[in-house]
Amino acid sequence: MAQGGGLWGWMQSFGGTCGFGQAPKTHSMWVRAAPELCPQEVPGVSEELLAKIDTPGGSLEEKLEHVTDTFRSNARHLESLQQLLRLRAIERRAAEGSDEFPAEVESVISKGTYQDSFLQAFDGQSFPLFGEQVIPYHEYRLALEVHSGGAYWSSISTQDSGSVQHKVEIVSASSPAEGSATIISHFGAAQRGAVFVWRWHHLPEKGPYQLPEWLDKVLLGEGNDPLRKLQAELEVVRRWHQQVRADTAQHIKQGGEIKDPYIREVLRLWPSETDAQGIQQLKKCAWVEGLDARLFVGRTVVAHRIPYDAIHTIVLHAHISKRHVDEEEVAKEGSPPYRLTTSWQWTAAAPTTEQGLSRLMLQERLPGSQQSITEIPGSYQSLTEMPGTRQPRHEPPSSAEVLMDPSSSVPEGAEQNDWAADTSTPAPEIPE
């Protein structure tokens, strides 16, 4: 018989002599570390999340939403362990030699029920059970609080319910509806009962942590609830973004970032209209005459840049396209052939002072206070008042037109030979 294996061991040894032996197994030489043994440098923030939010550029709104969801998930994870944490609180106080809770309090903590006599005996008292920093500069704490209801319940007899066992309710601070409100502010001043309360506590003395500047500033702000701080910052960013989008027509016509003289001139003359809120909006389609379409169609250009902070900038892109139909069909349909598409995108490029509006200036402006597009130098109205410029046609199609006549002056930044580069576009006469 083979050593120590009985019949199965003999069969394995016999198979090995015939070439059927199993290959030796190699065991891994490492052990997976538990998260508790290797705590994160930043509480509640994984390395993956930190790398994502610390990358310059990208949507600041998406970063705030991602951070908020992660922090709320951390809080809810602790809430799911609420029953276990209650039992550990009693065991930990006994092991550490701290002052033990009264027997009635320990019974309520372990069982989760109480009688009316308990409320009278411990009215207005709070018993801390657990606390952990799951968000930078903020600790999430669990406590048992007792409220007898105050003067409202003083005249109400509760003798008949002396033997009734009431359930201890749980109040969370991770829910957007509840927030970090106290029991009295959440349920009213006449709240009566014993409750397990989760509350946030701001600890600005903790740290410092390696966080992005924008996130560090938000979390170090006043207030105990970090989720409310993040939500408030998200609302500020959304309002700022909405105000920027309202000024799209003005930024397109100014074209401070557009280098191509032909596209800049076409966008400067692009027609606009006023919506119901009194905001200037660019028309979707327009006519362009006197200029070869190949000079401005099918190219996406950066029209404007506006910074929000040191690493987040929003950029306005513009693209002019042409419908793929014959000119005769366009004339019959009576619709303009050229379409303008604009979009705002977050980027990491830092703008210059002259090219972007500051965040403070945009926040101080009131909605609907945009300057009329006809008052901007170089607008459509000012162009039609220049000598040697054709007036717009009045026959159909009456939709917006952009008239660029060869008799007009050369766009700023363009040379005469630029206009004559294409043999199909005649070179205009440049007035002296």
Side-chain angles (χ1 to χ4, degrees):
M1 282 292 174
Q3 65 268 13
L7 179 60
W8 177 249
W10 176 83
M11 292 179 63
Q12 284 185 332
S13 61
F14 179 77
T17 59
C18 299
F20 297 102
Q22 297 181 353
K25 297 182 179 180
T26 57
H27 299 279
S28 57
M29 303 302 295
W30 52 273
V31 179
R32 185 181 300 274
E36 296 79 5
L37 301 179
C38 301
Q40 301 173 359
E41 296 182 1
V42 182
V45 182
S46 62
E47 295 182 359
E48 181 181 359
L49 175 61
L50 186 60
K52 183 176 182 179
I53 63 178
D54 200 22
T55 303
S59 174
L60 183 57
E61 299 176 55
E62 294 181 0
K63 291 181 180 180
L64 285 168
E65 292 174 352
H66 195 179
V67 171
T68 302
D69 293 342
T70 301
F71 288 172
R72 182 175 287 113
S73 177
N74 295 342
R76 289 178 175 175
H77 174 69
L78 285 183
E79 294 171 4
S80 65
L81 304 176
Q82 175 256 143
Q83 186 173 2
L84 177 62
L85 296 176
R86 284 158 38 195
L87 299 177
R88 285 185 177 180
I90 300 176
E91 297 174 358
R92 184 175 61 255
R93 295 180 71 90
E96 294 176 355
S98 304
D99 295 338
E100 297 184 0
F101 293 130
E104 298 88 342
V105 175
E106 290 189 358
S107 176
V108 172
I109 294 175
S110 58
K111 295 180 180 179
T113 59
Y114 65 94
Q115 296 180 352
D116 287 334
S117 58
F118 177 79
L119 303 181
Q120 300 295 334
F122 299 95
D123 179 31
Q125 298 187 37
S126 177
F127 303 95
L129 305 178
F130 175 79
E132 182 178 347
Q133 188 180 187
V134 295
I135 295 178
Y137 310 111
H138 295 82
E139 189 175 68
Y140 206 32
R141 298 178 181 178
L142 174 64
L144 171 65
E145 296 188 359
V146 184
H147 301 273
S148 63
Y152 177 83
W153 288 87
S154 60
S155 59
I156 300 177
S157 176
T158 58
Q159 296 179 357
D160 297 339
S161 59
S163 60
V164 178
Q165 293 288 335
H166 303 279
K167 180 183 178 181
V168 181
E169 300 295 337
I170 303 173
V171 178
S172 165
S174 65
S175 172
E178 296 175 354
S180 59
T182 62
I183 297 303
I184 294 180
S185 62
H186 185 67
F187 292 101
Q191 168 66 22
R192 176 182 174 85
V195 288
F196 293 116
V197 185
W198 287 97
R199 282 206 183 98
W200 292 106
H201 288 264
H202 190 201
L203 304 174
E205 68 278 2
K206 297 291 184 177
Y209 301 108
Q210 296 296 327
L211 293 172
E213 182 179 356
W214 59 269
L215 180 57
D216 195 74
K217 182 179 178 180
V218 172
L219 295 179
L220 285 175
E222 296 182 358
N224 288 320
D225 194 337
L227 301 180
R228 288 188 176 184
K229 296 178 186 179
L230 292 169
Q231 185 63 32
E233 181 67 16
L234 179 59
E235 293 176 358
V236 170
V237 175
R238 286 175 175 172
R239 288 196 300 267
W240 176 83
H241 195 180
Q242 183 179 5
Q243 180 62 41
V244 168
R245 293 175 64 89
D247 295 338
T248 299
Q250 178 180 348
H251 299 319
I252 285 291
K253 290 182 175 294
Q254 290 178 350
E257 293 283 339
I258 302 176
K259 307 302 181 183
D260 190 287
Y262 307 107
I263 299 179
R264 182 172 64 244
E265 191 71 6
V266 171
L267 294 178
R268 183 175 67 88
L269 303 177
W270 199 272
S272 60
E273 57 186 357
T274 304
D275 60 10
Q277 288 76 29
I279 300 176
Q280 290 291 331
Q281 299 288 346
L282 294 168
K283 292 189 176 182
K284 295 182 179 180
C285 300
W287 295 83
V288 179
E289 295 184 353
L291 185 63
D292 190 349
R294 290 176 293 180
L295 297 175
F296 60 89
V297 171
R299 295 177 55 189
T300 302
V301 295
V302 175
H304 200 70
R305 301 174 186 266
I306 302 179
Y308 184 83
D309 55 22
I311 62 174
H312 295 96
T313 298
I314 194 169
V315 178
L316 174 59
H317 297 268
H319 179 85
I320 301 177
S321 58
K322 185 178 180 180
R323 298 171 57 191
H324 297 283
V325 294
D326 297 337
E327 296 182 0
E328 297 181 357
E329 295 181 4
V330 173
K332 292 179 181 179
E333 296 177 3
S335 58
Y338 299 103
R339 183 181 182 88
L340 174 62
T341 304
T342 60
S343 63
W344 290 93
Q345 297 179 1
W346 289 93
T347 182
T352 61
T353 305
E354 298 179 355
Q355 294 171 346
L357 296 176
S358 65
R359 173 187 175 188
L360 181 60
M361 293 176 60
L362 286 173
Q363 291 179 347
E364 291 178 351
R365 294 180 55 183
L366 296 176
S369 63
Q370 292 82 2
Q371 183 182 11
S372 175
I373 202 66
T374 58
E375 299 175 359
I376 301 176
S379 63
Y380 180 79
Q381 179 178 351
S382 62
L383 178 68
T384 57
E385 297 174 354
M386 294 174 56
T389 305
R390 273 195 308 178
Q391 298 296 325
R393 292 185 286 110
H394 297 285
E395 64 274 18
S398 59
S399 183
E401 294 178 308
V402 178
L403 303 179
M404 296 190 60
D405 191 83
S407 60
S408 62
S409 59
V410 178
E412 181 182 355
E415 299 180 358
Q416 180 178 0
N417 56 3
D418 292 338
W419 287 79
D422 189 357
T423 56
S424 61
T425 304
E429 296 180 3
I430 303 178
E432 298 180 359

